[in-house]
Amino acid sequence: MSVTERVSSALAERMAGARGVLAAPARSARTTVVIGRLLATAFLVCFLTGLYSHLLQEPLPGMRFPTWPGVYAFTQGLHVSVGIAIFPLLLGKLWTVYPRLFLWPPARSARELLERASIALLVSSALLEPAIGLVNTYQWYPWPFPFRQTHYALAWVIVGSLAIHIGVKLPTIVRFWRRRSTATDRSVTDD
């Protein structure tokens, strides 16, 4: 047996052990889909209210918005409130899929490699976006980049990577959208 095969088998055993330790009844595909539904809705609300705010501040040529009193305050309040609510939803979703980090080998095909890369982009931008938004509510800018433009660009990255993620996971989402979890649904790693 070559060194590579020994290292790979040792890593496979350790990763399987880590997945076993992390096993929990709440870590099911159904739980992941339910939290993902809430999280996608929250991101959509934040995206639409943020887009409204952005277009009010930098309207496209010929674009006019009605200036009803309180509409901007309502949409910004909704944007910030839902943006803060994203934190526990995102952490809950990551908790349900955490054992998938310990799959070995990490990618079995080019498709799976692309899927994991798109998920890495989604997770990193989804963690960064509400974090810099929350820091913005304190009007503290410890970074060298312009907040508004970066926040706007990250929103489009999230929407695009979320669309890819939903497209890839659509069979799982459809399977667990409405039905209750069963004992066979325990493993999130089967997806």
Side-chain angles (χ1 to χ4, degrees), residues 51-70:
L51 186 61
Y52 176 71
S53 172
H54 183 80
L55 290 174
L56 281 176
Q57 294 174 38
E58 295 180 24
L60 298 173
M63 184 177 277
R64 296 259 186 242
F65 283 98
T67 54
W68 298 315

Side-chain angles (χ1 to χ4, degrees), residues 132-148:
I132 67 172
L134 184 62
V135 172
N136 176 60
T137 62
Y138 294 103
Q139 296 182 349
W140 177 48
Y141 306 102
W143 47 75
F145 51 83
F147 169 74
R148 261 194 14 212

Side-chain angles (χ1 to χ4, degrees), residues 84-141:
I84 291 171
I86 281 176
F87 285 108
L89 290 172
L90 186 58
L91 293 175
K93 170 92 177 195
L94 290 174
W95 180 82
T96 65
V97 297
Y98 185 68
R100 286 195 47 87
L101 295 177
F102 299 100
L103 291 178
W104 193 260
R108 294 179 191 98
S109 66
R111 179 186 177 275
E112 194 172 326
L113 180 66
L114 289 172
E115 176 190 345
R116 290 194 130 206
S118 71
I119 289 171
L121 178 65
L122 174 60
V123 169
S124 59
S125 56
L127 287 170
L128 182 61
E129 179 82 339
I132 67 172
L134 184 62
V135 172
N136 176 60
T137 62
Y138 294 103
Q139 296 182 349
W140 177 48
Y141 306 102

Side-chain angles (χ1 to χ4, degrees), residues 162-181:
L162 191 58
I164 291 169
H165 180 63
I166 289 171
V168 167
K169 293 296 186 183
L170 196 57
T172 304
I173 293 168
V174 168
R175 189 171 9 145
F176 294 104
W177 185 262
R178 289 200 177 157
R179 71 180 195 132
R180 298 250 182 239
S181 234

Side-chain angles (χ1 to χ4, degrees), residues 175-191:
R175 189 171 9 145
F176 294 104
W177 185 262
R178 289 200 177 157
R179 71 180 195 132
R180 298 250 182 239
S181 234
T182 64
T184 60
D185 298 340
R186 291 283 179 241
S187 177
V188 176
T189 59
D190 295 340
D191 299 332

